[in-house]
Structure formats: C-alpha cells, structure tokens
Amino acid sequence: MTSTRSNPLLRIDGLSSGYGRIGVLHDVSVAVHPNEIVVILGPNGAGKTTLLNSISGVARASAGTITFDGEDITGARPESVVRKGLAHCPEGRQIFQRLSVEENLVAAHIGRGTKSFEALREDAFTLFPILKERRNSSASRMSGGQQQMLAIARALMAEPKLLMLDEPSLGLAPKIVHQIFRIILDLSQTGIAILLVEQNVQLALECGDHAYLLNTGRVKLAGNAQEIASHSALGDLYLGHVTEDSLHV
Ligand code: ATP
C-alpha cells in the first residue's frame, strides 16, 4: 500500500470470530478502499463466508476491530450495519421465493439514503432490464441468473457505499457468469466499493484490484490482484498443499 492511497472505507484489524464457541477466523486483517474491488479467495471451509458474516454482524467477533466509513462497527447488529451503507448479498441469494420481483425490492428498501424507492427501483431496472420485464413474476419462477440479479438488486436498494457479494457466480452458466461480472465492474464504476467472495478465481482476479487468500481461517496471501494471479502458491493453496515458505508476494 502506498502513502498516496486514501483511507480504507472498510478496515478489519486482527479479527478473530466464529459461531458460538467455534472459532473460525484468526487474526484476519483486510482493507477495502473507496472504489476498489477486493476479492476474497480460498478453498471450501476457509472462512470466506464467515468473514462477510462477521462484517455484517451475523457472526460474532471475539477479537479485533471492524471499522467502516470511520466508525467502529465491531459487534454491531446486521440492521445497523446495512443502515450505515454496507450491504450484504449472501451466498445462496436468500431472496423471498414466493414474492414477486417488485415485492422483493419493496422488502429490501430501507430508506437509508437520499433516493426514493421508485428511483432506486428504476436504477435496478436499468442495470437489470430482465427484472423490469419480470417485475410481477414470483422469484421462484425465475432462472438462477435472474435470481442472482434480483439478489444484487435487493442489496442495492440499501444505497450501499460498499457491497459484499458472496459467490455470485455459484451454479450459473458461463454466459451468465460473465454478465454478472460485467455488472460488478459497472457497479464499481458508479463508485460503490465491492468486497467479493468468489470461487471463480481467474475471473475474480481479472476484475479485482486487490485480493486476499484465506485458508483455515487465516490470511495466507494478500496483494495486488495481478500479483496474486501469478503467484505460484495459488494453485497449491486450492489443492491443499501450500507451505508457509511459498507464501510471499
Ligand atoms: P465455502 O466456499 O465452502 O462456502 P467458506 O470459505 O465460505 O467455504 P465458511 O462457510 O466461512 O467457509 O466456513 C468456515 C468454517 O466455519 C467451516 O469449518 C464451517 O463448517 C464453519 N461454519 C460455517 N458456518 C457455521 C455455523 N453457522 N455454525 C458453526 N460452524 C460454521
């Protein structure tokens, strides 16, 4: 990090967290600066979802601090975190299957920022024209890609400064995955910072600015996305035989 970079929008320092007595993350430090796309990589069970859950207040921190937009949000409740402008689009989408597209958007609108519901809905429809076409369809009748678009649109109803996306490409056809990544880049262009958990390592590193590799609840590699992409330990980490010696960017 150079001294010319702005202050981080999100700063996580020495975070340890988990569920009840189960410790999952250990001494994790991550920073997301305004306008950045930061990618969190790691094999199954590494703690990626737990990191996002800890930031959004779903998993409890036992040590360390989480600062967002200059405010300490460690231990804050999920509804208070989203009201501060930090939206979470969770793994598995978690949209209301029996509600229509429009009703899902209404339910996600919290009136946090300056825009009206109608203006935010129009923004979402501009970003995802298919949602406008299907605004009265129930979510359960839509394809996986359309449901993912609805999940992102729901998160955007909170007018976030930072959007956390947990595996948005999961289970989607390659063409739709590319569409979703295009949208992520477009969102970033509008000034929303992105914290992206992704299993599609190549695409994520192509679109990200910085990346962190987690394994067994610890940060094993951190750096510029291009450096991480070319790091020899990347493949090893996914195959599970990384050594501490090989982990230097
Ligand atoms: P994946 O790519 O498989 O989603 P991940 O890197 O997101 O993995 P997490 O889902 O954060 O990993 O899980 C990290 C560890 O925490 C795993 O050992 C998992 O079993 C455990 N864990 C996850 N959720 C809970 C929970 N609600 N209660 C207890 N343990 C949990």
Side-chain angles (χ1 to χ4, degrees), residues 19 22 24 42-51 91 167 199:
Y19 306 93
I22 304 168
V24 176
N44 289 340
K48 306 180 296 296
T49 294
T50 303
L51 175 61
E91 189 176 12
E167 309 222 13
Q199 289 285 10

Side-chain angles (χ1 to χ4, degrees), residues 1 5 38 41 73 91 102 125-126 160 177 200 220 226:
M1 198 183 301
R5 285 180 83 197
V38 171
L41 303 171
I73 60 162
E91 189 176 12
E102 176 98 17
F125 287 166
T126 303
V177 171
N200 190 326
K220 297 290 180 178
Q226 282 175 345

Side-chain angles (χ1 to χ4, degrees), residues 174-186:
K175 193 176 151 205
I176 309 295
V177 171
H178 279 91
Q179 225 178 317
I180 296 286
F181 272 85
R182 184 67 256 162
I183 298 279
I184 293 171
L185 285 167
D186 288 349

